[in-house]
Amino acid sequence: MQSARVDRLPMSSPSDVSPILALLQSGAVDPLQIIAILGKTEGNGCVNDFTRGYATQSLRSMLSGDLNADQLGAVSMVMSGGTEGGLSPHWLMFSATEAPATLGASLAVASIATRELSPSEIGTPAQAALVREAVRCAMAKAGIATPEDVHYVQIKCPLLTSERIDAVGGNVATRDTLKSMGLSRGASALGVAEALGEAPPATEAMIGSDWSRWSSRASASAGVELMTCEVVVMGMSQDWAGPLAIAHTVMNDAIDAVAVQDLLNTIAPDAGLQGAQDRLVAVLAKAEACPDGAIRAQRHVMLEDSDVSSTRHARGFVGGVLAGLTGFTDLFISGGAEHQGPSGGGPVAIIYRKDKHS
Amino acid sequence: MQSARVDRLPMSSPSDVSPILALLQSGAVDPLQIIAILGKTEGNGCVNDFTRGYATQSLRSMLSGDLNADQLGAVSMVMSGGTEGGLSPHWLMFSATEAPATLGASLAVASIATRELSPSEIGTPAQAALVREAVRCAMAKAGIATPEDVHYVQIKCPLLTSERIDAVGGNVATRDTLKSMGLSRGASALGVAEALGEAPPATEAMIGSDWSRWSSRASASAGVELMTCEVVVMGMSQDWAGPLAIAHTVMNDAIDAVAVQDLLNTIAPDAGLQGAQDRLVAVLAKAEACPDGAIRAQRHVMLEDSDVSSTRHARGFVGGVLAGLTGFTDLFISGGAEHQGPSGGGPVAIIYRKDKHS
Amino acid sequence: MQSARVDRLPMSSPSDVSPILALLQSGAVDPLQIIAILGKTEGNGCVNDFTRGYATQSLRSMLSGDLNADQLGAVSMVMSGGTEGGLSPHWLMFSATEAPATLGASLAVASIATRELSPSEIGTPAQAALVREAVRCAMAKAGIATPEDVHYVQIKCPLLTSERIDAVGGNVATRDTLKSMGLSRGASALGVAEALGEAPPATEAMIGSDWSRWSSRASASAGVELMTCEVVVMGMSQDWAGPLAIAHTVMNDAIDAVAVQDLLNTIAPDAGLQGAQDRLVAVLAKAEACPDGAIRAQRHVMLEDSDVSSTRHARGFVGGVLAGLTGFTDLFISGGAEHQGPSGGGPVAIIYRKDKHS
Amino acid sequence: MQSARVDRLPMSSPSDVSPILALLQSGAVDPLQIIAILGKTEGNGCVNDFTRGYATQSLRSMLSGDLNADQLGAVSMVMSGGTEGGLSPHWLMFSATEAPATLGASLAVASIATRELSPSEIGTPAQAALVREAVRCAMAKAGIATPEDVHYVQIKCPLLTSERIDAVGGNVATRDTLKSMGLSRGASALGVAEALGEAPPATEAMIGSDWSRWSSRASASAGVELMTCEVVVMGMSQDWAGPLAIAHTVMNDAIDAVAVQDLLNTIAPDAGLQGAQDRLVAVLAKAEACPDGAIRAQRHVMLEDSDVSSTRHARGFVGGVLAGLTGFTDLFISGGAEHQGPSGGGPVAIIYRKDKHS
């Protein structure tokens, strides 16, 4: 049986792959067993964030010593920019080892990439359909039996640049490059929602507009460095063994600490918040500035600040909410939660040790 | 006997004084009874933040209908820029009314302004000494008997600009205008620390350098719009009556939710977090990027981000921590906590209703 | 006969009206003779730029000593944010005095404000129509005989905020507040173009899309501080006397120094560039990032920079081009040139002394 | 005899080395003949600009197919971040080929790297001394006979980060990471000044303070991606052949177009500005916000803008001045001109074809 391993590792710069290299060189992780590497890099998380491509290039360069092109291509690399506030740049490496069967379900992970999109498809129902299929394939690959067993789907999807817009003669969903990031994230999320039975197939009118449609487990991040969608599905499966589990909740707004507190309480009901914190392995979440301009009827300024992107504001702020609850700052918080959780809120997943001593 | 009243009011822009005007026009507050008006405005909180001056000008213009120049001069106006993340721009108006004596101590407030500083004094021991004297005067004015009864000192202090530097021939603590804000805040805080018996008199070598010296109750904010230091002292006094009280704690780092949780637990021990939240009237706090570049040994990037000032990062992030705990976003969080709480942490004060039904 | 006077005055902060006050107090300018005051303030020129409102409030407060409400309402106040690069914040005050008739035409100026717009009208053909009518009225008021005699139309127009969008139930041209600035500027410019016979009436499909439609003399600036459109028309008229004249050209792209050089050469053909510079009284221009992402086939990054708005980039850059040619930095350069000159370029007007010794 | 070749090539992103690769694959340039590759990348040019490291990594990866480690180490790679305004990201590749002797002197280029600096040496006289020696070595290597024959020295030097500061126990010239960039650039420039006989040896008191000391030909750029100083010396030498030449001037302030115009006039005195533009191969310049806060007595706001670094403002603005004069936007303008040209101004070098038809 397979057992999932998750390593949360510091990153001193976008090119700092040394903590991963050390793990590989120690033999603790076999390069062939890596399923996906997520990176929370310190760029602005917006259009001109090259820390994502730099991190990916650094990873590829490091792994190319051990893996051939096909093997390298099978490793999902999902870089998400933005560690505002006190958030800490880090890697999350998912790998699988052989392990004896254990009782009950365990964390299961699989990844898949769609074909390259045309710039004309970015932010459209065509992108949603590609993601939907990728989620289904990845579920099958991971042995995750039902949509209910899926607890997080991390997606990296492309965005539009001036050059890409020109390449298709301006036949694109939007000419605004920053806005294209939101449409791409939104289309991806609606693809997840459809795959998980949370929403009907995405339409053009729905993407970026009908905020009543959302997935409780999608997390999409857009970046300039790819033209495919990389999809990493995380869930619980009887086919997997090992000490790890995953669970999720939905924050109803940016300060919905109660939802997360309740989720944490399910981990170690008798051990209090500190007991839950001790078992946390990774936290993944989405954040966004509520599009109606207010949080609990009080105005926020994130959408009116022309100096700092609202996605940067939101990541740092929700980062504070979650760091206060979890006690650490290397949280994988991704900005721009279009169709990912309710308007102004977002999904949160925790990966944790099922047992105190594991 | 005097009774303190605190109104927390929304602000739709820096010039929106309408909620205050409504209160005055309704008769609920007499303009002559206003002690201080704090404003959390939506600028960047740094050197070129004109929302502070704009708000002050708007307040003065509104109040000049009711108050003569002397009366107007007696109202402290302390504008603090920066409502990053989901923080909400707002006013905190402190006023005093006659009320029957009540049992025990109640919230007491008084304000005082120092003389105008020379640009050469900004960020120096001379500024600290002026603030120290102002704190002592304000304590006497408010009838706050001992330093222990002081729970928060909000200060607005000046900063250096290119013009002010030139005006004194470059004879200044620093030629870096952004840095001058930190030195000014730091000098102010050390003045408070000395007044409250927390630290010896400030020296040049101490200001902006020796982070082991700090006040647990100082909150200083620097702005381009004044050359005096405005000092508002808040504490508990037997000379005051009424339903309100104030308490404080110190966050040891930016994610020290436990300290604040413990403080909230003292308000309504049997009513849980929700019970405490229901009694909150105002929250005031300081935030800063820990100068050593890490939070609980994990790297943060606030000090290396040349696009967004570290003070903006810190306000939004600590804003998230506190909003998660308090359930609201119009928190008076001021950035740049030099000598205000330990390195990377900061003082937090809560004003609350002593009784559930008050 | 009337004679136009133009004063270009420094501004040490958005509230620094002292150089204007000094002129009024000296008797050089009669407050009743002020037609318009333009201000180039040092904010970001985007949605949350409160320096415009702050400057306006400061002007109103200063002038209210001399002018009653109606008289004050007749003075156009057009604040434009953004002095990037080495641009210098300044005021341009236009006033008119009685003077003996002079030979030939002279600078003529008049201003008018439209009624307040509904948020639903911002950025739509309705706004264009209101501006068109205002231009025609102002031409008549100034005695400017033909559209060819109009050399610049400076407009201040409103933008959408989250609150304004909500106030009309989301029935707006765009929900993106930053984008609303461009649509508002574009609609205004197309109104000018129609009034001057440069383009047919604006349609919804034209605004913000059909860049082949533009005015060679419109300059629009959007701001949060008003809901009307303020329209200041500048041209040449036989009805006006005095030493000043105005001329204009169009930069075909952001680095079209040749067009401006040619314009300057017409002022003092025998006196060289220095001779022309000596006669300059004011320079007004528009700047924008070319929407196709390139200048003379070389990529620019203004539209992909998520840290700094493209309007800020463009103002500073075109400011450099023009400062190199004119030898001074208090140039009234306004960003966002939608339908104002060709795509990537923009109108430039110069006000100058007709005679060397005047 | 050697002949210098300079290729100015577009860059669609920091990792886009394809135009260089195409030249190498075409046989036009032999990888072994590359002396230096300069890159003007599109990051913020400040502390957290990772586009420089990303570009360097991309170059190394591309060249490692053709060059061994020693050969690769001999190629200077000098990345300078920041293409504000309409500036265009690009590469400048310097290579040398064998060529028949030609009459007179031609462009000569050589590069050298110092040893790695300790963080404690950054921004100190020790760094200046290392750079001075490197300049002298590179002159000898290039066969540049006298200091007068040196027309530009491009330096890439290191900066301080929180981690580097900690690594030497805080024993550094400044704890402010952004400020460390200025001190490092300044120390480098004073090293050049000494080597060229323009200033005495740098002292601690001189660096970052005594602006009367400067080099007319130094251009230093600081980056996080190296700990050595890379020094590229460009000049004229009788030992070199070929069609290219280099000349320089000094802008006395940010809008000193006259100095550059005069320089251009020396290239093709009879052919006018257009004639000079046609012969330009590359333009290299420095830009900075004048520390006294004004340009020709008019206030600029670059040093008071806490949203956008003054180096970003200055690059875009001076970029406008130079693009207006040269007619193109891929100008190698580097920000932060401490001790590089007079206060507020900076050196400008042009590489051009000596003959119209070459």
Side-chain angles (χ1 to χ4, degrees):
Chain A
M1 247 177 168
Q2 289 191 101
S3 171
R5 172 179 174 130
V6 179
D7 290 288
R8 191 171 99 235
L9 301 163
M11 184 197 288
S12 69
S13 87
S15 62
D16 177 24
V17 295
S18 61
I20 297 179
L21 186 61
L23 264 190
L24 300 185
Q25 289 179 335
S26 75
V29 173
D30 178 340
L32 283 164
Q33 294 175 326
I34 302 172
I35 300 167
I37 304 178
L38 276 59
K40 196 88 207 73
T41 61
E42 62 201 271
N44 62 23
C46 299
V47 175
N48 62 331
D49 180 354
F50 296 102
T51 61
R52 297 172 302 218
Y54 190 20
T56 301
Q57 187 183 74
S58 302
L59 282 175
R60 284 187 191 288
S61 170
M62 187 247 309
L63 290 173
S64 63
D66 292 311
L67 303 180
N68 65 33
D70 278 357
Q71 291 166 334
L72 196 53
V75 177
S76 268
M77 295 181 192
V78 177
M79 303 300 123
S80 167
T83 54
E84 289 80 8
L87 293 177
S88 193
H90 65 286
W91 307 103
L92 285 181
M93 179 162 64
F94 293 81
S95 56
T97 50
E98 283 302 304
T102 47
L103 206 62
S106 287
L107 173 64
V109 185
S111 75
I112 223 143
T114 66
R115 65 161 169 79
E116 292 209 342
L117 277 73
S118 150
S120 298
E121 291 176 321
I122 293 175
T124 71
Q127 179 178 350
L130 286 169
V131 169
R132 179 198 62 211
E133 285 315 298
V135 172
R136 286 175 179 165
C137 286
M139 284 176 64
K141 198 169 162 185
I144 299 175
T146 71
E148 286 68 41
D149 293 326
V150 173
H151 290 280
Y152 216 62
V153 182
Q154 181 69 40
I155 295 155
K156 184 81 208 192
C157 48
L159 54 80
L160 290 170
T161 61
S162 298
E163 297 201 325
R164 290 170 184 175
I165 293 169
D166 288 349
V168 293
N171 179 24
V172 288
T174 176
R175 296 187 72 97
D176 180 325
T177 58
L178 190 56
K179 197 177 169 193
S180 78
M181 298 182 76
L183 292 179
S184 181
R185 288 187 298 250
S188 295
L190 289 171
V192 176
E194 189 191 353
L196 301 186
E198 298 177 302
T203 62
E204 210 178 303
M206 200 188 290
I207 300 171
S209 295
D210 180 358
W211 302 126
S212 73
R213 303 297 189 178
W214 48 271
S215 168
S216 61
R217 286 155 282 172
S219 167
S221 175
V224 76
E225 68 279 11
L226 80 179
M227 284 301 286
T228 63
C229 294
E230 298 265 355
V231 177
V232 183
V233 171
M234 308 172 201
M236 294 295 283
S237 168
Q238 301 284 350
D239 296 356
W240 289 60
L244 301 182
I246 184 168
H248 80 279
T249 188
V250 170
M251 290 173 78
N252 280 308
D253 60 24
I255 61 174
D256 188 5
V258 171
V260 181
Q261 184 101 45
D262 288 349
L263 178 67
L264 292 174
N265 285 343
T266 63
I267 296 181
D270 304 328
L273 183 59
Q274 183 62 50
Q277 288 180 355
D278 290 346
R279 294 208 201 162
L280 289 177
V281 173
V283 175
L284 301 102
K286 287 299 301 191
E288 74 172 356
C290 190
D292 71 6
I295 298 171
R296 300 190 188 176
Q298 290 180 304
R299 185 169 75 101
H300 67 74
V301 303
M302 295 187 266
L303 297 171
E304 262 121 54
D305 187 343
S306 305
D307 295 312
V308 179
S309 158
S310 67
T311 50
R312 301 201 73 181
H313 276 293
R315 269 191 300 267
F317 188 66
V318 175
V321 175
L322 294 178
L325 289 165
T326 62
F328 61 93
T329 57
D330 45 352
L331 306 159
F332 197 88
I333 300 180
S334 160
E338 300 85 355
H339 305 296
Q340 300 150 68
S343 194
V348 179
I350 53 171
I351 297 175
Y352 60 98
R353 282 181 291 276
K354 291 184 275 185
D355 190 81
K356 195 166 86 177
H357 306 293
S358 66
Chain B
M1 243 180 173
Q2 289 193 100
S3 169
R5 174 183 173 128
V6 179
D7 289 289
R8 190 171 100 235
L9 300 163
M11 182 198 287
S12 69
S13 86
S15 61
D16 177 25
V17 296
S18 61
I20 297 178
L21 187 60
L23 264 189
L24 301 185
Q25 290 178 334
S26 74
V29 173
D30 178 339
L32 282 164
Q33 295 174 327
I34 302 173
I35 301 165
I37 305 179
L38 276 57
K40 196 85 207 77
T41 61
E42 62 200 272
N44 63 23
C46 301
V47 175
N48 64 329
D49 181 353
F50 296 102
T51 62
R52 297 172 301 218
Y54 191 19
T56 302
Q57 188 183 73
S58 302
L59 282 174
R60 284 188 190 286
S61 170
M62 188 247 309
L63 291 173
S64 62
D66 292 310
L67 303 179
N68 64 32
D70 278 357
Q71 292 167 332
L72 196 53
V75 177
S76 265
M77 297 184 191
V78 177
M79 303 300 124
S80 165
T83 55
E84 290 80 8
L87 293 176
S88 194
H90 65 286
W91 306 103
L92 286 181
M93 181 163 61
F94 294 81
S95 55
T97 50
E98 284 301 305
T102 47
L103 207 62
S106 287
L107 173 65
V109 184
S111 76
I112 225 143
T114 67
R115 65 162 168 81
E116 293 210 342
L117 277 71
S118 150
S120 298
E121 290 176 321
I122 294 176
T124 71
Q127 179 178 350
L130 287 167
V131 169
R132 180 200 60 211
E133 284 316 297
V135 171
R136 287 176 179 164
C137 285
M139 283 176 64
K141 197 170 165 186
I144 299 175
T146 72
E148 286 67 43
D149 291 324
V150 173
H151 290 280
Y152 216 63
V153 183
Q154 182 69 41
I155 296 153
K156 185 81 206 190
C157 49
L159 54 82
L160 290 170
T161 61
S162 297
E163 297 199 329
R164 291 172 185 173
I165 294 169
D166 287 349
V168 291
N171 179 21
V172 288
T174 176
R175 294 187 74 95
D176 180 327
T177 57
L178 189 55
K179 197 177 169 192
S180 78
M181 300 181 75
L183 292 179
S184 182
R185 288 186 299 249
S188 295
L190 289 171
V192 177
E194 188 189 352
L196 301 185
E198 298 177 301
T203 62
E204 210 179 304
M206 200 190 288
I207 300 171
S209 294
D210 180 359
W211 303 125
S212 73
R213 303 297 188 178
W214 47 270
S215 167
S216 61
R217 285 155 283 172
S219 167
S221 175
V224 77
E225 69 277 12
L226 79 178
M227 283 303 287
T228 63
C229 294
E230 299 266 355
V231 176
V232 184
V233 170
M234 309 173 200
M236 294 295 283
S237 168
Q238 300 284 351
D239 295 356
W240 290 61
L244 301 182
I246 184 168
H248 80 277
T249 188
V250 170
M251 291 173 74
N252 279 308
D253 60 25
I255 62 174
D256 188 6
V258 171
V260 182
Q261 187 100 42
D262 289 349
L263 177 67
L264 292 174
N265 285 344
T266 63
I267 298 181
D270 305 326
L273 183 60
Q274 182 63 50
Q277 289 179 355
D278 289 345
R279 294 209 200 160
L280 289 176
V281 172
V283 175
L284 301 102
K286 286 299 298 191
E288 76 171 355
C290 188
D292 70 7
I295 298 172
R296 301 191 187 175
Q298 290 181 303
R299 185 170 74 102
H300 67 72
V301 302
M302 297 187 264
L303 297 172
E304 262 121 54
D305 189 343
S306 306
D307 296 310
V308 178
S309 156
S310 68
T311 49
R312 303 202 70 180
H313 276 292
R315 271 189 300 267
F317 187 66
V318 174
V321 174
L322 293 178
L325 289 165
T326 61
F328 62 94
T329 57
D330 45 354
L331 305 159
F332 198 87
I333 299 179
S334 161
E338 300 84 354
H339 304 297
Q340 300 150 67
S343 192
V348 180
I350 55 173
I351 297 173
Y352 60 98
R353 281 181 292 276
K354 291 184 272 186
D355 189 81
K356 195 166 86 178
H357 305 292
S358 66
Chain C
M1 247 178 169
Q2 289 193 101
S3 170
R5 175 184 171 124
V6 179
D7 289 290
R8 190 172 99 234
L9 301 163
M11 183 196 287
S12 69
S13 86
S15 62
D16 175 25
V17 295
S18 62
I20 298 178
L21 187 61
L23 265 189
L24 301 183
Q25 289 178 336
S26 74
V29 173
D30 178 340
L32 282 164
Q33 295 174 324
I34 302 172
I35 301 166
I37 303 178
L38 277 57
K40 195 85 209 74
T41 61
E42 61 201 274
N44 61 24
C46 298
V47 175
N48 62 329
D49 180 353
F50 296 102
T51 62
R52 296 172 303 218
Y54 189 20
T56 302
Q57 189 181 75
S58 302
L59 282 174
R60 284 188 190 286
S61 170
M62 188 246 310
L63 291 173
S64 62
D66 293 309
L67 303 179
N68 66 30
D70 279 355
Q71 291 166 333
L72 196 54
V75 177
S76 265
M77 297 182 190
V78 177
M79 304 299 125
S80 167
T83 55
E84 291 79 8
L87 293 176
S88 191
H90 66 285
W91 307 102
L92 285 181
M93 180 162 61
F94 293 82
S95 56
T97 51
E98 282 303 305
T102 47
L103 205 64
S106 287
L107 173 65
V109 184
S111 75
I112 224 142
T114 67
R115 66 161 167 79
E116 293 212 340
L117 278 72
S118 150
S120 298
E121 291 175 321
I122 293 176
T124 72
Q127 179 179 351
L130 287 167
V131 169
R132 180 199 59 212
E133 284 315 298
V135 171
R136 288 175 178 163
C137 286
M139 282 176 66
K141 197 170 164 186
I144 299 175
T146 70
E148 286 66 43
D149 292 325
V150 173
H151 290 281
Y152 216 63
V153 183
Q154 182 67 42
I155 296 153
K156 185 80 207 193
C157 48
L159 54 79
L160 291 170
T161 60
S162 298
E163 297 199 328
R164 290 171 186 178
I165 294 168
D166 288 349
V168 293
N171 178 23
V172 287
T174 177
R175 297 187 72 96
D176 180 326
T177 57
L178 189 56
K179 197 177 166 190
S180 78
M181 299 181 76
L183 292 178
S184 181
R185 288 186 300 247
S188 295
L190 288 170
V192 176
E194 190 190 353
L196 301 185
E198 299 178 300
T203 61
E204 208 179 305
M206 201 188 289
I207 301 170
S209 293
D210 181 358
W211 303 124
S212 72
R213 303 295 188 181
W214 48 272
S215 168
S216 61
R217 286 155 281 172
S219 167
S221 174
V224 75
E225 67 278 13
L226 80 179
M227 283 303 284
T228 64
C229 294
E230 298 267 355
V231 176
V232 183
V233 171
M234 308 172 201
M236 294 295 283
S237 169
Q238 300 284 351
D239 296 357
W240 289 60
L244 300 184
I246 185 168
H248 81 278
T249 188
V250 170
M251 290 173 76
N252 280 308
D253 61 24
I255 62 173
D256 189 5
V258 171
V260 182
Q261 185 101 41
D262 289 349
L263 178 65
L264 292 175
N265 285 343
T266 64
I267 297 182
D270 304 325
L273 182 60
Q274 182 63 48
Q277 289 179 355
D278 289 345
R279 296 210 199 158
L280 289 176
V281 173
V283 176
L284 301 102
K286 287 299 301 192
E288 76 173 354
C290 189
D292 70 6
I295 297 173
R296 301 191 187 175
Q298 290 181 303
R299 184 168 76 101
H300 68 71
V301 302
M302 297 187 264
L303 298 170
E304 262 120 54
D305 188 341
S306 304
D307 296 309
V308 179
S309 158
S310 67
T311 51
R312 302 201 72 181
H313 275 294
R315 268 190 302 266
F317 187 66
V318 174
V321 175
L322 294 178
L325 289 164
T326 62
F328 61 93
T329 57
D330 45 353
L331 306 159
F332 197 87
I333 299 179
S334 159
E338 300 85 356
H339 305 295
Q340 299 150 68
S343 192
V348 179
I350 53 173
I351 297 173
Y352 62 98
R353 283 182 290 276
K354 290 184 275 185
D355 190 82
K356 196 167 85 177
H357 306 292
S358 64
Chain D
M1 243 179 173
Q2 286 194 101
S3 170
R5 173 182 175 130
V6 179
D7 290 288
R8 189 172 99 237
L9 301 164
M11 184 198 285
S12 68
S13 86
S15 62
D16 176 25
V17 294
S18 61
I20 296 177
L21 187 60
L23 265 190
L24 300 184
Q25 290 178 335
S26 75
V29 173
D30 178 339
L32 282 164
Q33 295 173 326
I34 303 172
I35 300 165
I37 304 178
L38 276 58
K40 195 86 207 75
T41 61
E42 62 200 272
N44 61 22
C46 300
V47 176
N48 64 330
D49 181 352
F50 296 103
T51 62
R52 297 172 301 217
Y54 190 18
T56 302
Q57 188 181 75
S58 302
L59 281 175
R60 284 186 190 288
S61 170
M62 188 247 309
L63 290 174
S64 62
D66 292 310
L67 303 179
N68 64 33
D70 278 355
Q71 292 166 334
L72 196 52
V75 177
S76 265
M77 296 183 189
V78 176
M79 303 299 124
S80 166
T83 56
E84 289 79 8
L87 293 178
S88 193
H90 64 285
W91 307 103
L92 286 181
M93 179 163 62
F94 294 81
S95 55
T97 50
E98 283 303 305
T102 47
L103 207 62
S106 287
L107 173 65
V109 184
S111 75
I112 225 144
T114 67
R115 66 161 168 78
E116 295 209 339
L117 278 71
S118 150
S120 299
E121 292 175 320
I122 294 177
T124 71
Q127 178 179 352
L130 286 168
V131 169
R132 181 198 60 210
E133 285 314 299
V135 171
R136 288 174 178 167
C137 286
M139 283 176 65
K141 197 170 163 187
I144 299 175
T146 71
E148 286 66 41
D149 292 326
V150 173
H151 290 280
Y152 215 65
V153 182
Q154 181 68 41
I155 296 153
K156 185 81 207 191
C157 49
L159 54 79
L160 290 170
T161 61
S162 299
E163 297 200 329
R164 290 171 185 175
I165 294 168
D166 288 350
V168 292
N171 178 23
V172 288
T174 176
R175 296 187 72 96
D176 180 326
T177 58
L178 189 56
K179 197 177 169 194
S180 78
M181 298 182 76
L183 292 179
S184 182
R185 287 187 300 250
S188 295
L190 288 171
V192 176
E194 189 192 353
L196 301 186
E198 299 177 302
T203 62
E204 209 179 305
M206 202 189 288
I207 301 172
S209 294
D210 180 359
W211 303 125
S212 73
R213 302 296 187 178
W214 47 270
S215 169
S216 61
R217 286 156 282 172
S219 167
S221 174
V224 75
E225 68 278 12
L226 81 178
M227 285 302 286
T228 64
C229 294
E230 298 265 356
V231 176
V232 183
V233 172
M234 307 173 203
M236 294 296 282
S237 170
Q238 301 284 352
D239 296 355
W240 290 60
L244 300 182
I246 185 167
H248 80 278
T249 188
V250 170
M251 291 174 74
N252 280 309
D253 61 23
I255 62 173
D256 187 5
V258 170
V260 182
Q261 186 100 42
D262 289 348
L263 177 67
L264 292 174
N265 285 343
T266 62
I267 298 182
D270 304 326
L273 184 59
Q274 182 64 49
Q277 288 180 355
D278 290 345
R279 295 209 200 159
L280 289 177
V281 173
V283 175
L284 301 103
K286 287 301 301 191
E288 75 170 356
C290 190
D292 71 7
I295 298 173
R296 300 189 188 178
Q298 291 182 302
R299 184 170 75 102
H300 68 73
V301 302
M302 297 187 264
L303 297 171
E304 262 120 54
D305 188 342
S306 306
D307 295 310
V308 178
S309 157
S310 67
T311 51
R312 302 202 70 181
H313 277 291
R315 269 190 301 266
F317 187 65
V318 174
V321 174
L322 293 179
L325 289 165
T326 61
F328 62 93
T329 56
D330 44 354
L331 305 159
F332 197 88
I333 300 178
S334 160
E338 301 84 354
H339 306 295
Q340 300 150 68
S343 193
V348 179
I350 53 171
I351 297 173
Y352 61 98
R353 280 180 293 276
K354 291 184 273 185
D355 189 82
K356 194 166 88 178
H357 306 292
S358 63

